[in-house]
Every structure is written in structure tokens, then in C-alpha cells.
């Protein structure tokens, strides 16, 4: 039997059309080096192709002024002039995206903020001379401020924001509402979501009402002396606890699936079925909140902290683009790895759409052994990855697409 996720049958909150619909495909529209390449203009040229390929939302790099060119050390949150381009060029990009009905996702970096002037203890923990002119009480006591202790993990080296302060939350909500209603971002991606309590994310989403939100709750998978453990239930449970903490209003990146999938493709496809016969990541337990992906600007690109094996990338996309969950495609794979990869990914997206695979589609895993994984998704799609020989039984199945170590059939 296929299964439908129990959590999704009992969703109580009205999350809005986007999450209920479950037919999102996200595009991460940058990498770690993008700030060097006139980025807003580059993306604007690609909007027609992004739309034609079927992406519903593009996650843009942090668009506000930052101490570091990549955007992750924000200072003046109300300045839209960044190393990615001017406010004028950003607005031109957002206008083009709106014309093509692709939503813009803002990268929300609110765990930490670089101060402008020295305050308590000689630290740069005051924000004088810029909008949101906070004092040391906006900074956690564990990162050199006069606020309360952090409600999450510390991001080291810069002041961490104390979200337990009412004035801080009020100002952040006003800023998010400005991004949403004035600038024109419709979706949010919450950076370093481990840094502050999920209950604040709930408050921020309720305050600014993005159409779709996803959090980066990234902590380490479970490893032992033999490498990655087969059972990652506690890892995916931590991500699910965070989603619950947001009042179920935010999705989360499925780091569990990434960790398992990139080991599985090396010849351990048995990892792709958990003890209940389900997919082993967040996707297996709560697919409508699981944003599946292979790489991002941290794990891949030039940082390469935890990269997906490059010679197995198409097997990875054959998995996430045919499966439940909300798949995300990385800029580098789609635009920098050659036309063949671009076209293979676009073809898989087209099949997903035409066979109406969505975040809550049922899945039945047929094979999960060392060199072969095969599954039937919904009732109109089957797929396999790995170099084991396999094809679905029955004349009604026709080959929809295939490539190196993957194939997809449809009815």
C-alpha cells in the first residue's frame, strides 16, 4: 500500500493556498560567488527560462546591505543596495518576476546583525545612525550585549539578536512587512533558524504573511565509527519539532534526506527505505513541510562544506523531482553544469507537473538494495535510480525519460 502522511491529514491551520496546493518547485537563484557577477541583471535575463521551466519561486540572496559581500552579515536592513546590485536593479528583477508569475523569496537573516558603533564592553553592539537604531539590549548577553541569553544556538563572531525583546520583534515584523508589501517579496527563507526559538518565526510569519516560508534548521546528522548511521529518526525529529514550533506555518529544508541520499547514491540504496517502509527523511514523515534539495550555497558551490557527489547529481534530481515533498533546484546545477543537465532537470520537472505529483503524493517503495532503488509515486509514475537493472511490470508503463543511472516511466 502507498501511504498518505498522517500529519498532513490532520493539519489544523489554514496555511494558505501555496502550502495546501503542494505543487511548488523552488529555485535557489545564487551561489557563494554570485555577488561578483552583477547578479540582479544576470537573473533578470534568466527569468523567462526560470518561468518556462516551471519554477514557482526563486530564493534570492540577501538583498539588504551587509558587512560581507555574500549578504549574511547584515547591518542596515532598510538599504537595498548590496553587492548583488542596486535597489533599482533589484526592483527591475522583481518586476520581471511578477510579470512571469514567479514569486521572489527573500533570505531573512535576523539571527545576527553587525553593529555600527561600540557600546557595552567596547563591542560593536549598538546600531546608531541607521534605521532600527537599537542599543546593547537588542544583543544577547552571550554575544556581548545587555539582552537576555539566546533562545537558540550562537552564531559566533558577531552580535546575536535577542528576539525575546518586544521592541526587537516589533521592529523585525515592521521590516518584514516592508519587504513583503513595499519591496514585493512574497516568500521568506529564514537563515540560521537554530539561532532563535521557532515561536518567534511563528510570530514573524503571522505578522508579515508571506505566501510560503522555509527555515534553515541545519544540524549534524547522526554519525558513528562507520560513517552515516542508517537510522536518522532523531535528526528528522529535530527538524519536525522546529516546524511544530513555528505553529506548522513554515516548511523546513530536508537536510535528513540530503544526508542520506548522497550516501545512498554511492551504492547503498537500501538507505532509502526506513523501518516503516517510508522514505527516510523529513519527506517520509511530513512531506508538505519538507523542502528537498541536493546542494545550496553552503553545502556546494565554492564553500563545498557537504557537497552532493557530482557524478550522481542527476540520480539525486530523479529522486527529489519524482517524490513527495517540495523540491528545490540549485543554480549551479541548472545553469553552470551544461545544457544537458539543465534540460534533464527541466524534463523531470515537466513530468512532475504533467503527472500531477505534489508534496503529499503517495509513494510505494518497490526496491531498495545496494545498487537499485525503485518506487511508484501517485498512480501514474514509477522511477528507478542506480545501476541495477529494473523496469515496471505491465504494458501500460511507458518510458518518460532516462539518463545516466536513472529512468522514469508514466502511464
Amino acid at each position: 500500500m502507498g501511504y498518505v502522511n498522517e500529519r498532513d491529514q490532520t493539519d489544523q491551520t489554514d496555511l494558505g493556498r501555496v502550502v495546501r496546493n503542494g505543487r511548488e518547485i523552488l529555485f535557489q537563484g545564487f551561489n557563494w560567488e554570485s555577488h561578483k557577477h552583477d547578479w540582479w541583471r544576470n537573473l533578470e535575463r534568466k527569468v523567462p527560462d526560470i518561468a518556462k521551466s516551471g519554477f514557482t519561486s526563486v530564493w534570492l540572496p540577501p538583498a539588504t546591505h551587509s558587512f560581507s559581500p555574500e549578504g549574511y552579515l547584515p547591518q542596515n536592513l532598510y538599504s537595498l543596495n548590496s553587492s548583488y546590485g542596486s535597489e533599482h536593479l533589484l526592483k527591475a528583477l522583481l518586476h520581471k518576476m511578477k510579470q512571469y508569475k514567479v514569486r521572489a523569496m527573500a533570505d531573512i537573516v535576523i539571527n545576527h546583525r553587525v553593529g555600527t558603533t561600540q557600546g557595552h564592553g567596547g563591542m560593536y553592539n549598538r546600531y546608531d545612525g541607521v534605521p532600527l537604531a537599537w542599543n546593547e539590549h537588542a544583543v544577547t548577553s552571550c554575544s556581548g550585549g545587555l539582552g537576555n541569553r539566546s533562545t537558540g544556538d550562537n552564531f559566533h563572531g558577531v552580535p546575536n539578536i535577542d528576539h525575546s525583546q518586544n521592541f526587537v520583534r516589533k521592529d523585525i515584523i515592521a521590516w518584514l512587512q516592508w519587504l513583503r508589501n513595499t519591496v514585493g517579496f512574497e516568500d521568506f527563507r529564514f537563515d540560521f533558524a537554530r539561532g532563535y526559538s521557532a515561536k518567534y518565526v511563528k510570530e514573524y510569519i503571522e505578522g508579515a504573511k508571506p505566501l510560503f516560508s522555509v527555515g534553515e534548521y541545519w544540524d549534524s546528522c547522526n554519525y558513528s565509527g562507520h560513517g552515516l548511521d542508517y537510522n536518522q529518526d532523531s535528526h528528522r525529529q529535530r527538524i519536525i519539532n522546529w516546524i511544530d514550533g513555528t505553529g506548522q506555518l513554515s516548511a523546513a529544508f530536508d537536510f535528513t534526506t540530503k544526508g542520506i541520499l548522497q550516501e545512498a547514491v554511492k551504492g547503498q540504496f537500501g538507505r532509502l527505505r526506513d523501518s516503516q517502509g517510508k522514505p527516510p527523511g523529513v519527506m517520509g514523515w511530513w512531506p508538505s513541510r519538507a523542502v528537498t534539495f541536493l546542494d545550496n550555497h553552503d553545502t556546494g558551490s565554492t564553500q563545498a562544506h557537504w557537497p552532493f557527489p557530482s557524478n550522481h547529481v542527476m540520480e539525486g534530481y530523479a529522486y527529489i523531482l519524482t517524490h513527495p515533498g517540495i523540491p528545490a533546484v540549485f543554480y549551479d546545477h541548472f545553469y553552470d553544469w551544461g545544457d544537458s543537465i539543465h534540460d534533464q532537470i527541466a524534463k523531470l520537472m515537466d513530468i512532475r507537473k504533467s503527472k500531477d505529483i505534489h508534496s503529499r503524493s503517495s509513494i510505494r517503495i518497490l526496491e531498495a538494495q545496494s545498487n537499485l532503488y525503485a518506487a511508484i509515486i501517485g498512480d501514474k509514475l514509477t522511477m528507478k535510480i542506480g545501476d541495477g537493472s529494473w523496469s515496471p511490470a505491465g504494458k501500460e508503463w511507458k518510458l518518460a525519460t532516462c539518463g545516466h543511472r536513472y529512468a522514469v516511466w508514466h502511464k
Side-chain angles (χ1 to χ4, degrees), residues 95-132:
H95 178 71
K96 182 87 161 267
M97 290 174 67
K98 207 165 183 64
Q99 281 181 307
Y100 279 85
K101 297 185 168 50
V102 179
R103 300 196 310 277
M105 177 181 284
D107 204 327
I108 307 299
V109 189
I110 49 174
N111 173 73
H112 46 272
R113 184 183 174 200
V114 174
T116 59
T117 45
Q118 287 171 292
H120 171 74
M123 313 270 279
Y124 278 86
N125 51 19
R126 292 183 61 89
Y127 303 89
D128 302 321
V130 291
L132 304 191

Side-chain angles (χ1 to χ4, degrees), residues 233-253:
D233 287 358
S234 61
H235 186 263
R236 58 177 166 173
Q237 186 62 53
R238 289 193 294 274
I239 297 175
I240 278 171
N241 292 346
W242 181 85
I243 299 167
D244 268 332
T246 72
Q248 313 183 352
L249 296 178
S250 182
F253 286 107

Side-chain angles (χ1 to χ4, degrees), residues 162-181:
D162 179 8
H163 293 261
S164 71
Q165 305 281 1
N166 285 329
F167 75 92
V168 167
R169 295 202 306 284
K170 184 167 152 284
D171 283 351
I172 287 175
I173 289 169
W175 175 67
L176 293 172
Q177 288 171 337
W178 173 74
L179 285 177
R180 175 81 181 83
N181 303 321

Side-chain angles (χ1 to χ4, degrees), residues 272-284:
L272 294 179
R273 178 162 52 193
D274 72 8
S275 57
Q276 275 82 51
K278 297 181 179 184
V282 180
M283 176 217 291

Side-chain angles (χ1 to χ4, degrees), residues 40-193:
W40 299 145
R41 265 202 193 96
N42 169 52
L43 281 182
E44 193 191 342
R45 288 191 292 268
K46 290 185 163 60
V47 168
D49 183 66
I50 289 168
K52 185 181 81 172
S53 302
F55 293 108
T56 54
S57 181
V58 179
W59 162 20
L60 299 179
T64 53
H65 166 262
S66 164
F67 207 70
S68 62
E70 297 84 12
Y72 291 98
L73 294 177
Q75 193 169 56
N76 182 357
L77 292 173
Y78 277 98
S79 166
L80 292 172
N81 293 309
S82 72
S83 56
Y84 296 101
S86 66
E87 175 177 354
H88 174 74
L89 290 173
L90 171 65
K91 291 197 163 158
L93 167 62
L94 295 178
H95 178 71
K96 182 87 161 267
M97 290 174 67
K98 207 165 183 64
Q99 281 181 307
Y100 279 85
K101 297 185 168 50
V102 179
R103 300 196 310 277
M105 177 181 284
D107 204 327
I108 307 299
V109 189
I110 49 174
N111 173 73
H112 46 272
R113 184 183 174 200
V114 174
T116 59
T117 45
Q118 287 171 292
H120 171 74
M123 313 270 279
Y124 278 86
N125 51 19
R126 292 183 61 89
Y127 303 89
D128 302 321
V130 291
L132 304 191
W134 298 334
N135 64 19
E136 299 93 330
H137 291 279
V139 176
T140 61
S141 58
C142 33
S143 64
L146 293 172
N148 297 310
R149 286 195 68 75
S150 176
T151 54
D153 295 344
N154 274 324
F155 184 92
H156 296 292
V158 286
N160 284 232
I161 297 305
D162 179 8
H163 293 261
S164 71
Q165 305 281 1
N166 285 329
F167 75 92
V168 167
R169 295 202 306 284
K170 184 167 152 284
D171 283 351
I172 287 175
I173 289 169
W175 175 67
L176 293 172
Q177 288 171 337
W178 173 74
L179 285 177
R180 175 81 181 83
N181 303 321
T182 304
V183 183
F185 285 101
E186 295 183 277
D187 297 350
F188 291 164
R189 177 257 182 190
F190 288 92
D191 179 65
F192 199 69

